[in-house]
Amino acid sequence: MATFKAPKGTYDLIPPVSVKYLAVREAISAPLRNSGYGYIETPGFEDVGLFARGVGESTDIVSKEMYAFETKGGDQLALRPEGTASVLRAALEASLHKQGNLPVKLWYSGSYYRYERPQKGRYRHFSQVGAEAIGAEDPALDAELIILADQAYRSLGLSDFRILLNSLGDKECRPVYREALQSFLRGLDLDEETVRRAEINPLRVLDDKRADVQKQLVGAPVLRDYLCDACKAYHEEVRALITAAGVAFEDDEKLVRGLDYYTRTTFEFVHDGLGSQSAVGGGGRYDGLSEMIGGPALPSVGWALGVDRTVLALEAEGVELDIPASTSVFAVALGEEARRVLFAKVTELRKAGVAADFSFGGKGLKGAMKDANRSGARFAVVAGERDLAEGLVQLKDMESGEQSAVALAELVDTVKARLA
Ligand code: ATP
Ligand code: MG
């Protein structure tokens, strides 16, 4: 029995399920790669201050969920809880924004870490694919990202999801609203922690999931009534562009999201088959983040989609991804000489671009054919000493069961032709 187990709140991706995760990452990133987004990869940990300032000290992510630690050298680091701050930090560090090519469009895929209470769809190690468009204030960019996420989910065969959309205003109008909301919240009967949150980040109180809090929030001032003309016009343009693209969304004036850096456009993708962990992705505009982490003003927009929850959403909808078998040809050799010859053929097939595998471990015919079956290969190549003496191998079509002798020298060409 194994002594060690995966740590609490984590799980391993193992075959055959792990191919689904690869397929989901591929499907989410495909529309981005097709739309001018370049791949970026950043370290799994960063200076803790990057997140404390960028994500916001009063957010749950920073105050409760972050894996922060001191290194032996005395550096204060944190495992990354999200991608945006890191990507922006990397773009600034490499001066990507100074090359006259704004917006800088980037996509990423990786692991993120949050010390959360583990439950279905909520883990301490999870994976996201994300996109950031840095350095342009253009409603078409916000619309592009929402449309690409919609396209990604649809390409996977998902349909039971909804897009929630809101505007959080900008540095002109949001403070006025914040003030109004705060004085409303001060009149409520809230617990100590929520009172404190109302002082630091009152918009997040709107996001409180508890029913007794939500009941008191009826009649709270809504941000929409406070948006300045510029924010209103911007938001209307985003809505019009998404609508014109045929992407359905719902206006959700209570949508605020858990990160402090969002301004104007904010959105979330929720899936109705997931119970309480319903958010499969989210994002928005973060015009102030660059300055918060010491950079120039760089209005930007982005999203991150959760891979784990997307896989759960596929299961909830009963979607079976069409994932082709990874092996096309499985070689079964009977006897020492046959092993040497077929092993060489497998190498040749692989070099010719045919996915091939070999019966290892010196199994008998029965066991080896079982492996051939399990591999999902279209063809099994079987050879013993007698076949080889005649320069032949047996090629078995695993779908039809038909078997025929093929000249060893023509095996690669024959297989390639029959697979095409
Ligand atoms: P939630 O409200 O469920 O806590 P969030 O607002 O914290 O989500 P984001 O920070 O916007 O989530 O991250 C984007 C996506 O990453 C989420 O929509 C979700 O799919 C995924 N995600 C976030 N936290 C976790 C987690 N602990 N486990 C699995 N997936 C997660
Ligand atoms: Mg969260």
Side-chain angles (χ1 to χ4, degrees), residues 382-402:
V382 186
E385 319 283 291
R386 212 175 331 139
D387 295 310
L388 289 174
E390 295 171 44
L392 296 175
V393 294
Q394 301 297 323
L395 185 63
K396 181 172 182 186
D397 186 325
M398 302 296 278
E399 269 170 27
S400 66
E402 267 168 52

Side-chain angles (χ1 to χ4, degrees), residues 16 20 23 45 50 57 86 90 103 119 125 163 169 222 237 267 272 276 309 315 320 326 328 335 360 391 411:
K20 279 199 208 176
F45 50 83
L50 174 69
E57 227 125 16
S86 304
Q119 36 198 310
H125 167 255
I163 302 174
V222 290
E237 184 62 13
F267 47 87
D272 291 323
S276 47
R309 287 187 199 169
E315 283 163 11
E320 282 301 330
S326 51
S328 299
F360 292 99
L411 178 65

Side-chain angles (χ1 to χ4, degrees), residues 45-59 61-63 66-70 74-82 84-86 89 260-261 289-295:
F45 50 83
E46 295 273 356
D47 222 285
V48 69
L50 174 69
F51 302 119
R53 288 182 67 194
V55 177
E57 227 125 16
S58 76
T59 60
I61 292 179
V62 170
S63 65
M66 203 150 68
Y67 283 92
F69 58 98
E70 185 177 310
D75 294 329
Q76 305 293 329
L77 301 178
L79 299 186
R80 57 182 182 188
E82 60 103 49
T84 304
S86 304
R89 192 270 307 140
D260 273 356
Y261 51 58
L289 180 58
S290 174
E291 286 157 297
M292 276 182 218
I293 62 170

Side-chain angles (χ1 to χ4, degrees), residues 306-347:
V307 175
D308 310 74
R309 287 187 199 169
T310 303
V311 171
L312 291 175
L314 288 168
E315 283 163 11
E317 283 199 44
V319 176
E320 282 301 330
L321 296 177
D322 185 19
I323 299 168
S326 51
T327 303
S328 299
V329 178
F330 196 94
V332 173
L334 304 168
E336 271 314 302
E337 181 54 19
R339 273 174 62 83
R340 267 177 229 121
V341 173
L342 276 200
F343 185 71
K345 274 293 156 194
V346 163
T347 301

Side-chain angles (χ1 to χ4, degrees), residues 348-366:
E348 206 182 316
L349 280 163
R350 290 170 177 168
K351 279 188 188 154
V354 177
D357 201 356
F358 183 74
S359 172
F360 292 99
K363 289 182 186 160
L365 181 63
K366 208 168 150 205

